[in-house]
Each structure stands twice: as C-alpha cells, then as structure tokens.
Amino acid sequence: MKPKTVALILAGGRVDELNVLTYYRPKSAVPFGGVARVIDFPLSNLMQSGIERVAILSQYRSYSLINHIGIGAAWDMVGRHRGISILPPFTGFGHSDWYRGSADAIYQNLDFIRYHDPETVLVLSGDHIYSMDYRPLIDYHQAKGADLTMACLEVPREQAHRFGVAEIDDEDGSLGGRVLRYLEKPARPRFAWASLTVYCFKPEVLYQQLEVNAREDDSYEFGRNVLPRMMFERRRVYGYKFRGYWGYARTIEEYWQANMDCLGASPRVELASWPFRTNLEHGGVRDCQPAKIGSHALVKDSVIANGSVVDGQVEHSVLFPGVRVGKGAVVRDSILFYNTVVEPGARLDKVITDVEVRIGAEVQVGEPVPPAEQEATVVGSGNLIPAGRRIGAGCTLYPNLAPEKLARDLGPGEVAR
C-alpha cells in the first residue's frame, strides 16, 4: 500500500559541543548505551509507528552513518512501498552544495516528498534519545486540521532558554492545544514547552513555507525562520504534549547523563523494553562472543556488551563490544567505546573513550570523586596513554595524538591536540 506519511530525518550535522566524539562522525552516528547509535531511536520510533518510507538527510562525514543504516533491513524497512533513502546535498541549478540549515535540507529534497505525494510529512531530528509512537501525533494533527503540529516536552523554566519554546493553550487538555506563541531560545523564557524537533506538516503548507524561506530569508532553520513566520501568518500551529523520557544530549555532560540513564534499578532509558532495534551487523557486533567476566572481577550496575572481557572492577559504566579491562583496573562512571583496552592497575573516573583507545598500566584518568563534582574527560579515538600517566578531570584528547603530545601529565581541563 502506498504510504500516507513520509518521514525525513535530519541526521547530517556535527555538534561542536560533543567535540572529539563527532570528529569523524555526525552526532546521529555516535554510539550509545553499549550497543546502539543515536539515530536508532528515531528509526525505531518510525518502525513501531508503521512509517516505512524514510529519507535520511546527511552531509557531514556520512560513512559511519551510511554503514550503520545499510539498506534499512534492521528496522524492517525493505520492500515495494517501504525503504530508507540516504539523501546527501548536491550541486545543481539554484542549489548550494551544502545544506545551509534544517529548512534548506528539506527544501533541497522537496522532489523526494512530491514524488511520494504523502498526506502528511514528518520531519525529525536524528540525534535525540526517546521512545515515541508517532501515530497519536499524526492522528491529532489530522483531527485538528493543523498546518503544523509540533511535539513538545515541558522542561524546567531555568533550562528553557536552550530550546525553541512554545506557549500552548488548554484546548485539548493534557493532549495538546493551539500554539499561542513560539520563541527560539529566548533569553528570559516565560513558558517552557520545548520543541522536540518533531514536526508534522501538511505537505502543501510545507512546500509554500520552504519556498518563501529560500527566497526571502538570510538563514534556513525551522525554529528560527519557518515557525516564527507561520505564527506571524496565524497558521494553524498546534502543540502535541509529550511526557516521556527525552535525551537532548547536545553537550558532553548531557550525553554522559543520557548513557547513565540506562543504568540503575529503574533505568529511564529502557532499551530492553522499548520497541528498539539497531544494526548488529555494523562492526560485526552480532558475531561477538558473550562477555567474559573473570573470577576476580567485580561488576556493579553496568552495561557490559558482548565481546567485552572484564578482569578488573567496573561500576556504573557502559562498555561497548571489544572492551577489555585488566586485572586491578577500576572503571567508574565511564563510557568506553568499541575495543578500548584498560591495562592492569589503571583507574578511570567519569571518562568517555572513543574507539580503539588504549589506557596504559597504572594510568589515572579523572579523579576518584563523585561524578557530580567533575566534568567528564573525553579521549579521542586511536590514542595510547602511556603507562603511569595522570590525566586530570575535564580534559579533552583529540584523536590519534602523536606520542610526544602525551609525554607529560595533563592537569584538569587541559586540551591535547
């Protein structure tokens, strides 16, 4: 059956606040939770919603993302009227060779939408962590005859300045209502329903708004340009109130916290119970042997992925496939990406390592204090930290550093590049 809804995922950007974790990959391809990638969440949401015609708009170092998506089989999006298309920017008449913003990315691919001629267009961010069935949102959008319905989450007022925020009336109580005002990252927010970058559009309205944006505006963002214009024109803009977990994860601290939300007796991110899938062929994850926990090892409140070998102590941490923790080593409040090696006697406190990192024997990274009292230290891919070195809390190590860059200890907050 021809799909009634087409979804487009904005997945191509690099987020500078995640620094070295997005050095070689877009944020949507950043590993998460011991087995996943961030883009798995919107894809799994689409799968559970029965939306199977999907385009992924990617432009920054897309290889890792494309390799992970494959043909979409992991999310059962292969068939005559279903599938995942990767849509990079292109050079052609009237277009730039780079997406200039979220609205421009959709504008450059209007031919894809028009070809499928849907009743509804769903525009999603590819870098948020949440579980959501989009069908109630789409039903609400259609029932209200809305031009645009945006999913919103109520956030603490003191944090609202970081988001596009809407004032929503009580037309439909807890379900949602008409958007009365919308402001993009206001300095002093007076309302706090934050946009989740989940937009449900009436197609002809989307076409018209993007044409005007391309012709008249000097920037090309939904939150900064398209939504304010629609409010000014008194379009039928509605807010759908979402009340589940939502991981923003724009900064290193938020990313670290979202991973920690996978842990505990009652985890807020429940990969085991959410309708969730990932591509286990990517990186050969499906072929990894079961995790091995040594006879003298201690593991507490942690995710230990297949292919890991633990002979030391791991507490409140997330270990991806291929991680090895040596005898006498201690890993606490940390996230270790694929094939990280922690040699005997080393100690890691609130550390994030990218892939193929080796921590030498007796190395200390971070400080043995409660995680709330220090910033995370981030070690870029391919680094070897020599035995006995001390790396302070909140340090950043860029990928593949030459040995002389790590020939001395690093104090708190230092950057090695």
Side-chain angles (χ1 to χ4, degrees):
M1 180 181 293
K2 179 174 176 265
K4 295 182 179 180
T5 300
V6 166
L8 294 97
I9 303 178
L10 302 163
R14 175 175 186 254
V15 179
D16 290 338
E17 291 93 330
L18 290 183
N19 57 52
V20 300
L21 298 183
T22 53
Y23 198 85
Y24 292 120
R25 60 172 78 89
K27 182 184 174 185
S28 57
V30 171
F32 182 87
V35 69
R37 304 279 173 152
V38 173
I39 198 169
D40 293 340
F41 292 92
L43 284 176
S44 296
N45 293 339
L46 290 168
M47 181 193 70
Q48 72 158 317
S49 305
I51 299 170
E52 299 172 321
R53 179 58 66 187
V54 179
I56 297 176
L57 281 53
S58 175
Q59 66 180 354
Y60 172 78
R61 293 190 179 272
S62 298
Y63 175 75
S64 177
L65 180 64
I66 293 170
N67 197 27
H68 182 67
I69 299 301
I71 62 172
W75 300 272
D76 199 28
M77 293 184 183
V78 179
R80 183 176 181 182
H81 292 297
R82 51 185 172 159
I84 296 179
S85 303
I86 307 290
L87 303 180
F90 58 90
T91 301
F93 178 75
H95 294 288
S96 76
D97 58 356
W98 194 256
Y99 293 147
R100 297 171 292 179
S102 57
D104 183 59
I106 303 297
Y107 177 68
Q108 289 200 35
N109 292 286
L110 287 183
D111 55 345
F112 174 88
I113 304 173
R114 288 185 170 118
Y115 175 81
H116 292 288
D117 190 26
E119 295 177 5
T120 305
V121 178
L122 196 62
V123 177
L124 310 172
S125 171
D127 53 15
H128 297 155
I129 297 149
Y130 64 112
S131 179
M132 183 180 183
D133 186 338
Y134 300 123
R135 285 172 293 191
L137 164 67
I138 295 170
D139 290 345
Y140 181 70
H141 169 78
Q142 294 176 340
K144 305 306 293 188
D147 295 321
L148 164 65
T149 302
M150 51 194 293
C152 297
L153 176 78
E154 193 168 26
V155 299
R157 187 70 61 85
E158 63 272 14
Q159 298 178 18
H161 68 281
R162 304 177 57 224
F163 308 99
V165 290
E167 181 182 11
I168 303 173
D169 70 14
D170 294 325
E171 182 174 323
D172 298 295
S174 62
L175 185 61
R178 190 79 177 252
V179 174
L180 304 177
R181 287 186 291 173
Y182 177 85
L183 296 173
E184 182 70 10
K185 299 180 180 178
R188 295 179 178 84
R190 301 173 69 177
F191 34 90
W193 282 99
S195 168
L196 304 187
T197 321
V198 176
Y199 303 132
C200 192
F201 275 99
K202 188 179 292 183
E204 57 271 22
V205 174
L206 176 64
Y207 304 154
Q208 186 241 358
Q209 291 294 322
L210 292 182
E211 292 285 356
V212 174
N213 174 249
R215 186 174 62 248
E216 298 184 5
D217 294 337
D218 56 5
S219 65
Y220 308 92
E221 301 292 343
F222 279 102
R224 189 180 305 166
N225 304 102
V226 176
L227 271 65
R229 174 177 280 110
M230 293 184 70
M231 295 300 299
F232 178 77
E233 294 176 354
R234 298 185 181 276
R235 295 281 187 166
R236 292 182 64 81
V237 178
Y238 278 79
Y240 177 84
K241 297 177 180 178
F242 177 69
R243 301 183 187 277
Y245 177 88
W246 183 58
Y248 187 46
R250 184 175 180 85
T251 67
I252 286 292
E253 287 298 310
E254 289 172 329
Y255 172 78
W256 175 86
Q257 183 59 60
N259 275 272
M260 296 301 104
D261 287 342
C262 296
L263 307 176
S266 300
R268 300 181 67 200
V269 178
E270 301 179 89
L271 298 186
S273 60
W274 285 2
F276 177 83
R277 287 192 190 179
T278 187
N279 182 6
L280 295 176
E281 292 187 9
H282 187 195
V285 172
R286 69 174 185 177
D287 299 321
C288 290
Q289 63 184 356
K292 293 183 178 179
I293 310 299
S295 57
H296 299 289
L298 174 64
V299 176
K300 297 171 61 178
D301 188 21
S302 296
V303 172
I304 310 294
N306 285 359
S308 295
V309 179
V310 178
D311 288 310
Q313 181 175 337
V314 179
E315 298 182 17
H316 201 245
S317 295
V318 175
L319 274 56
F320 283 79
V323 170
R324 292 177 175 266
V325 179
K327 293 180 180 179
V330 177
V331 177
R332 286 184 176 145
D333 303 307
S334 296
I335 307 163
L336 309 185
F337 286 8
Y338 302 87
N339 302 321
T340 292
V341 175
V342 183
E343 295 186 358
R347 181 179 180 118
L348 280 62
D349 290 278
K350 198 173 183 181
V351 178
I352 304 172
T353 65
D354 208 323
V355 301
E356 307 289 347
V357 167
R358 179 175 287 269
I359 309 294
E362 305 297 330
V363 165
Q364 168 74 54
V365 186
E367 301 294 338
V369 299
E373 297 179 12
Q374 64 177 319
E375 295 181 0
T377 294
V378 185
V379 182
S381 62
N383 278 312
L384 166 61
I385 300 180
R389 193 68 67 235
R390 296 291 181 267
I391 308 295
C395 290
T396 299
L397 280 63
Y398 274 68
N400 301 303
L401 292 174
E404 59 268 22
K405 297 290 185 178
L406 295 173
R408 63 175 181 84
D409 294 348
L410 298 180
E414 283 197 59
V415 176
R417 67 174 77 204

